[in-house]
Amino acid sequence: MTLPGVLLLDGAGPEAGLLAAAAAARGHQVHAATTAAGYADYGPELKGLLAGRVVTDFARPDRALDEIASYARRRGVGAVLTVNEYLTELAARLCAELGVPGNDPGRARAARDKAAMAEAFAAAGVRAPYTVLVRDKAGLRSALADPRVGFPCVIKPLSGAGSAGVTVVSGSAGAAAAADAARAAVGMYDVGGNPRVLVQAYAAGTEYSVESLTQDGATTHLAVTRKQVTGGPKRVETGHSLPVSLPPAVEAAVYQEVEAAIRAAGIRHSASHTEVIVGGDGRCAVIEIGARLAAGQIGVLIQHALGIDVWAALLDVALARPAALDPTACGYATVRFVTSPRAGRLTSLCGFPKTGPGVPFVRWRAAIGGTVDEPGANGHRLGSFVVTGPDAAEVEGRADALLRRVRIRVEPAPENTGQVRPARTSAIAP
Ligand SMILES: Nc1ncnc2c1ncn2[C@@H]1O[C@H](COP(=O)(O)OP(=O)(O)OP(=O)(O)O)[C@@H](O)[C@H]1O
Ligand SMILES: [Mg+2]
């Protein structure tokens, strides 16, 4: 019997690579829809296992939909998956077009465009920070004066990701610059020039994400993840750890909001990653939802801590087969992201961990000699590594110790000379 083909919308990145490898290992032909530039960045392993590809332009989604659908029909594609946040709406539309399991295309924008998300959450009664869509200076002034917003507040782009262009603003003085930063953070396939930004009430508390899989509208939560995030105006993730056990009443409240958010975003057949902030009173605010597996190696954490084969499970969901979601291990895993303390040119690196016992995954992505940024968005990560083991405190301690050993040297880049501090070697603790 010929197995259905599996199509990845964008095969870039470690998560897509693992998914492609899992599908190929099960005997599926794996296809990728990609841009020309995106394909050039695929590694040899991924290129080697692809049965075919369709080159398209994701910035023109209607055309991309037609091109990918006709390719998929020709090649017997029976499952469509993406781990690219920017393509989840296109994935839902494509699934509907092909008649394969997928999310509700009529609601899929709510998991991508944060203005649509805020509207969908408000309509469904999901607890989320009060949000105002601002088009111009007058709109910004009136949003800042709205007592439902207050200070601090958060100014963010509509369709951003990776914390790019998100600023926590403590007073009206910084708001115009924050709005400019949000406008400048153009999404991966956006053409830019969108004058609108979001002004959002600040939710105080501890940040978590909930990793879930929904099949035929029934949701299983795989794990709650604690997020390490920098303080200050730019909130950049420095690590994730799982599984977290919340007090039962808090967990129930979090799951209730997450499930409401999943329904509001039309998630019927896919992974989701829902970010929440739990306040001191145990109440939870949903910051955002993505109709995809979490990025930042959270899939690897789930696999190692809980023994769930998330890649196989994602495939099963996409193919409408029963997915094995019960944990087969009860360990703990954490990832640390390495960032540069300042912008400049990376001249040396030492002490970055290697894979070995308890360190199942490492990824270094910055080139020596290349420019690096101070952490203002997740894209500024230089590398990451995962630590896993049976005991949470030991795993956290080991991850922190490994991070302290990482040394980089960053010199002023020629174009930045005069704007950055002189070169010095520094530890890269978050
Ligand atoms: N309303 C809010 N209240 C408090 N903190 C917030 C709020 N909105 C955003 N943040 C902080 O800013 C970070 C980035 O915001 P958000 O998740 O909306 O952006 P993003 O670009 O989608 O990020 P990512 O893709 O990294 O998840 C959050 O993880 C959180 O730390
Ligand atoms: Mg986020």
Side-chain angles (χ1 to χ4, degrees), residues 273-290:
H273 168 72
T274 311
E275 299 181 348
V276 301
I277 293 183
V278 177
D281 57 2
R283 300 224 286 178
C284 137
V286 178
I287 298 298
E288 65 161 333
I289 187 163

Side-chain angles (χ1 to χ4, degrees), residues 85 114 156 160-163 166 207 227 237 273 275 287-289 292 378:
E85 158 113 15
K114 286 180 178 149
K156 57 173 76 171
S163 302
V166 179
E207 245 183 287
K227 293 158 73 84
E237 294 166 351
H273 168 72
E275 299 181 348
I287 298 298
E288 65 161 333
I289 187 163
R292 59 170 174 90
N378 295 346

